[in-house]
Amino acid sequence: MSADLTLILGSKTYSSWSLRPYLALRHAGLAFEEVVIPLRQADSKARMLAHSPAGKVPALIHSTAGGDVTVWDSLAICEYAAELAPEARLWPQDRAARAHARSISAEMHAGFMDVRRNLFMDLGRTIDRPERLAKAAGDITRIQAIWTDCLDRHGGPFLFGAFTIADAMYAPVVTRFQTWKVPLTETSQAYAAAIEGLPAMKDWRADAARETVVLDMLLD
Ligand SMILES: N[C@@H](CCC(=O)N[C@@H](CS)C(=O)NCC(=O)O)C(=O)O
């Protein structure tokens, strides 16, 4: 089944949205081909549009007997992976926990604009800009409160005990906090270590380190 999956990704150094389905597919044990499209190049948009009607990454192409299924949007791809591999339990088994996991995943997906605007993902460096942390302070506090609540309830090491889509959704934030040297509580540090310890996360970082396109998104 799974050799028929192709995941279209942005630059691994910068594409926070792409990291989410990558981790979910890897956790589900689904084999997939990768196509990495470097972000912000002259041909990036055309290359993305060739795979996804939204003209963005990530996108998943599933070749099936009935034709290609295209899934775009990081959360939709994670949901699709959960359906392809139910045994991987990409959502918590308990209904209340699952509702909680979906709520915090949606909160991440639709919100935290101050973190997004000020603390972009860049796996290639660390950045000392305390004024940007101040602009994102409310989001940083809320995200750590979400993590602490989940880890207290379920005992870690991941938000709902075992790895779920909620962790895939928050993994890019873990890297953003590291890049921007966000001071973390001990609980958040332990959570960040669990995410960074995932073999898939290590592979992603290793691939990012080999990328040659360098973007400077620090505009002010
Ligand atoms: N809601 C989408 C957002 C995807 C998105 O904005 N991707 C960025 C890269 S991380 C992108 O494709 N940017 C290129 C563009 O907008 O031209 C998702 O979750 O997949």
Side-chain angles (χ1 to χ4, degrees):
M1 148 176 92
S2 26
D4 306 327
L5 296 171
T6 305
L7 187 58
I8 318 297
L9 303 162
S11 313
K12 290 189 174 177
T13 308
Y14 307 108
S15 185
S16 59
W17 305 92
S18 299
L19 173 57
R20 301 159 162 191
Y22 175 88
L23 292 179
L25 288 172
R26 285 282 305 267
H27 182 77
L30 294 163
F32 57 95
E33 302 287 328
E34 293 179 37
V35 174
V36 177
I37 301 178
L39 297 180
R40 301 194 185 197
Q41 305 303 295
D43 62 349
S44 301
K45 195 46 124 185
R47 291 187 65 191
M48 290 175 193
L49 279 167
H51 297 286
S52 158
K56 290 183 188 289
V57 285
L60 180 73
I61 318 293
H62 186 192
S63 303
T64 71
D68 281 1
V69 177
T70 302
V71 190
W72 60 95
D73 185 275
S74 53
L75 187 51
I77 299 169
C78 291
E79 291 279 9
Y80 194 74
E83 290 190 21
L84 284 181
E87 68 286 355
R89 301 187 169 186
L90 278 170
W91 288 116
Q93 289 301 100
D94 174 74
R95 186 170 61 189
R98 192 162 61 250
H100 187 187
R102 284 201 160 110
S103 298
I104 64 166
S105 296
E107 189 173 348
M108 178 71 243
H109 204 42
F112 301 129
M113 297 315 294
D114 288 335
V115 160
R116 286 203 196 139
R117 244 181 250 121
N118 293 290
L119 313 180
F120 52 77
M121 177 159 147
D122 186 340
L123 298 187
R125 58 182 169 157
T126 53
I127 306 170
D128 258 310
R129 294 290 292 265
E131 80 285 1
R132 284 193 172 229
L133 302 196
K135 286 182 188 163
D139 283 356
I140 292 169
T141 301
R142 171 69 189 143
I143 289 167
Q144 293 200 76
I146 288 171
W147 291 353
T148 302
D149 177 38
C150 288
L151 296 165
D152 282 353
R153 284 186 202 213
H154 301 285
F158 296 103
L159 296 174
F160 294 86
F163 181 92
T164 67
I165 287 170
D167 299 293
M169 296 299 288
Y170 281 87
V173 175
V174 166
T175 79
R176 288 177 195 239
F177 284 0
Q178 195 192 336
T179 296
W180 293 88
K181 301 184 174 184
V182 174
L184 296 180
T185 64
E186 263 182 44
T187 303
S188 297
Q189 285 175 36
Y191 178 59
I195 292 289
E196 293 290 352
L198 289 166
M201 190 69 222
K202 291 182 179 168
D203 289 347
W204 179 279
R205 278 192 179 274
D207 290 345
R210 284 190 289 269
E211 287 180 343
T212 51
V213 174
V214 175
L215 302 177
D216 190 354
M217 293 191 280
L218 210 47
L219 299 175
D220 55 36

Coordinates of all heavy atoms in Angstrom, one line a residue, residues 14-18 20 39 45 48 55-58 72-75 109, ligand 1:
Y14 N 13.0 25.2 6.8 CA 12.1 26.3 7.0 C 10.6 25.9 7.0 O 9.8 26.7 7.5 CB 12.3 27.4 5.9 CG 13.7 27.8 5.7 CD1 14.5 27.5 4.6 CD2 14.3 28.6 6.7 CE1 15.8 27.9 4.5 CE2 15.6 29.0 6.6 CZ 16.3 28.7 5.5 OH 17.6 29.1 5.3
S15 N 10.3 24.8 6.5 CA 8.8 24.5 6.3 C 8.2 23.8 7.5 O 8.1 22.6 7.6 CB 8.6 23.7 5.1 OG 7.2 23.5 4.8
S16 N 7.7 24.7 8.4 CA 7.1 24.1 9.7 C 5.9 23.3 9.3 O 5.7 22.2 10.0 CB 6.8 25.2 10.6 OG 5.8 26.1 10.0
W17 N 5.1 23.7 8.4 CA 3.9 22.9 8.1 C 4.2 21.5 7.5 O 3.5 20.6 7.7 CB 3.0 23.7 7.0 CG 2.7 25.1 7.4 CD1 3.4 26.2 7.0 CD2 1.5 25.5 8.1 NE1 2.7 27.3 7.5 CE2 1.6 26.9 8.2 CE3 0.5 24.9 8.7 CZ2 0.6 27.7 8.8 CZ3 -0.5 25.6 9.4 CH2 -0.4 27.0 9.4
S18 N 5.3 21.4 6.8 CA 5.7 20.2 6.2 C 6.1 19.1 7.2 O 5.9 17.9 7.1 CB 6.8 20.3 5.2 OG 6.4 21.2 4.2
R20 N 5.0 18.5 10.1 CA 3.9 17.8 10.8 C 3.5 16.4 10.1 O 3.5 15.4 10.7 CB 2.7 18.7 10.8 CG 2.9 20.0 11.5 CD 1.8 21.0 11.1 NE 1.7 22.1 11.9 CZ 0.7 23.0 11.8 NH1 -0.2 22.8 10.9 NH2 0.6 24.0 12.7
L39 N 11.7 26.5 -0.7 CA 10.7 27.6 -0.6 C 11.3 28.9 -1.2 O 12.5 29.1 -1.2 CB 10.4 27.8 0.9 CG 9.6 26.7 1.6 CD1 9.4 27.1 3.1 CD2 8.3 26.4 0.9
K45 N 6.4 28.3 -6.7 CA 4.9 28.3 -6.8 C 4.5 27.3 -7.9 O 3.6 26.5 -7.7 CB 4.4 29.7 -7.1 CG 3.0 29.9 -6.9 CD 2.4 29.4 -5.6 CE 1.7 30.3 -4.7 NZ 1.3 29.8 -3.4
M48 N 4.8 23.8 -6.8 CA 3.8 23.4 -5.8 C 2.4 23.2 -6.5 O 1.7 22.2 -6.2 CB 3.6 24.5 -4.7 CG 4.8 24.5 -3.8 SD 4.7 25.9 -2.6 CE 6.3 26.0 -1.9
G55 N -1.5 25.2 -4.2 CA -0.2 25.8 -4.5 C 0.7 26.0 -3.3 O 1.5 26.9 -3.2
K56 N 0.5 25.1 -2.3 CA 1.3 25.2 -1.1 C 1.8 23.8 -0.7 O 1.3 22.8 -1.2 CB 0.4 25.7 0.1 CG 0.1 27.2 0.0 CD -0.7 27.7 1.2 CE -1.2 29.1 1.0 NZ -0.2 30.1 1.1
V57 N 2.8 23.8 0.2 CA 3.2 22.5 0.7 C 2.8 22.5 2.2 O 2.8 23.6 2.8 CB 4.7 22.3 0.6 CG1 5.1 22.0 -0.9 CG2 5.5 23.5 1.0
P58 N 2.6 21.3 2.8 CA 2.7 20.0 2.2 C 1.5 19.6 1.4 O 0.4 20.1 1.5 CB 2.9 19.1 3.5 CG 2.0 19.8 4.5 CD 2.2 21.3 4.2
W72 N -4.2 18.0 0.6 CA -3.3 19.1 0.9 C -3.7 19.6 2.2 O -4.8 19.3 2.7 CB -3.3 20.2 -0.2 CG -4.7 20.8 -0.4 CD1 -5.2 21.9 0.1 CD2 -5.7 20.2 -1.3 NE1 -6.4 22.1 -0.3 CE2 -6.8 21.1 -1.2 CE3 -5.8 19.1 -2.1 CZ2 -8.0 21.0 -1.9 CZ3 -7.0 18.9 -2.8 CH2 -8.1 19.8 -2.7
D73 N -2.9 20.3 2.9 CA -3.0 20.9 4.2 C -2.5 19.8 5.2 O -2.9 18.6 5.2 CB -4.5 21.2 4.6 CG -4.6 21.8 5.9 OD1 -4.6 21.1 6.9 OD2 -4.5 23.1 6.0
S74 N -1.6 20.3 6.1 CA -0.9 19.4 7.0 C -1.8 18.6 7.9 O -1.6 17.4 8.1 CB 0.1 20.2 7.9 OG -0.6 21.3 8.5
L75 N -2.9 19.2 8.4 CA -3.7 18.5 9.3 C -4.6 17.4 8.6 O -4.8 16.3 9.1 CB -4.6 19.5 10.1 CG -5.5 18.9 11.3 CD1 -4.7 18.0 12.2 CD2 -6.2 20.0 12.0
H109 N -3.4 24.8 14.7 CA -3.5 24.9 13.2 C -4.0 26.3 12.8 O -3.6 26.9 11.8 CB -4.5 23.9 12.7 CG -4.3 23.5 11.3 ND1 -3.1 23.4 10.7 CD2 -5.2 23.3 10.3 CE1 -3.3 23.1 9.4 NE2 -4.5 23.1 9.1
Ligands
LIG1 N1 -2.7 25.4 6.1 C1 -1.6 24.9 5.3 C2 -0.5 25.9 5.2 C3 0.6 25.5 4.2 C4 1.6 26.7 4.0 O1 1.3 27.9 4.2 N2 2.8 26.2 3.5 C5 3.8 27.2 3.2 C6 5.2 26.6 3.5 S1 5.5 26.1 5.1 C7 3.8 27.4 1.7 O2 3.5 26.5 0.9 N3 4.2 28.6 1.3 C8 4.4 28.9 -0.1 C9 3.4 29.8 -0.7 O3 2.5 30.2 0.0 O4 3.7 30.2 -1.9 C10 -1.1 23.6 5.9 O5 -1.3 23.4 7.1 O6 -0.6 22.7 5.1

